[in-house]
Amino acid sequence: MSTCIRTMTCALLLCLGLSMAWAAVDVNQASSDDLESIKGIGPSTAQRILQQRRTAPFQDWRDFILRVPGIGDKRAARLSEQGLRIRGQAFDPSHVRPAAISTQPIGYAPRKPAPAAPALRDR
């Protein structure tokens, strides 16, 4: 009987330890060390996140992607898989790109059409 209890206790502690290893890190609460514990966030990315967070807390993933340089949809999805959360929410690509956001690079201006060539006259 005591062997069974020991085995159950060990299994419970193992499960508890594994669940803590996968604990979510909320970007609006995390320290630099907490952010760096997420695979894919190094010291420079953590500093960019903290710098933007000092301005205002992140409202959602769209806000996070727009404000933190180097973070796009693909990287946000990977970070979310590693446990990064914004206000408790995992990344959901369907809520990130509303139609109002341009997909063109910043500073992009379409070319103006070339002026028409002068018409040739018959002589």
Side-chain angles (χ1 to χ4, degrees), residues 15-26 30 34-35 37-39 79-85:
C15 289
L16 184 62
L18 289 175
S19 68
M20 291 181 74
W22 287 98
V25 174
D26 191 291
D34 294 337
L35 291 171
S37 73
I38 299 290
K39 183 178 176 184
L79 295 175
S80 180
E81 288 171 4
Q82 294 298 320
L84 190 67
R85 298 290 181 266

Side-chain angles (χ1 to χ4, degrees), residues 100-123:
I101 296 178
S102 172
T103 58
Q104 297 296 335
I106 295 174
Y108 173 81
R111 292 186 180 190
K112 294 180 181 178
L120 298 174
R121 291 191 235 171
D122 289 331
R123 292 189 189 192

Side-chain angles (χ1 to χ4, degrees), residues 2 5 7 11-12 15-16 23-24 32-33 50-52 56 73-74 76 80 89 93 107 109 111-113 116 119-120:
S2 67
I5 292 173
T7 304
L12 179 64
C15 289
L16 184 62
S32 180
D33 290 337
L50 293 175
Q51 182 180 18
Q52 288 299 318
D73 292 353
K74 290 179 183 178
S80 180
Q89 299 297 311
R111 292 186 180 190
K112 294 180 181 178
L120 298 174

Side-chain angles (χ1 to χ4, degrees), residues 10-90:
C10 288
L12 179 64
L13 290 174
L14 180 63
C15 289
L16 184 62
L18 289 175
S19 68
M20 291 181 74
W22 287 98
V25 174
D26 191 291
V27 75
N28 287 320
Q29 308 285 326
S31 67
S32 180
D33 290 337
D34 294 337
L35 291 171
E36 289 179 40
S37 73
I38 299 290
K39 183 178 176 184
I41 297 180
S44 62
T45 302
Q47 290 308 310
R48 287 194 304 262
I49 292 169
L50 293 175
Q51 182 180 18
Q52 288 299 318
R53 189 178 75 192
R54 279 187 216 108
T55 315
F58 296 102
Q59 299 301 313
D60 52 25
W61 281 96
R62 178 179 164 270
D63 183 34
F64 182 72
I65 290 169
L66 290 173
R67 288 173 44 197
V68 179
I71 304 289
D73 292 353
K74 290 179 183 178
R75 190 165 181 201
R78 285 193 307 266
L79 295 175
S80 180
E81 288 171 4
Q82 294 298 320
L84 190 67
R85 298 290 181 266
I86 297 178
R87 296 183 174 239
Q89 299 297 311

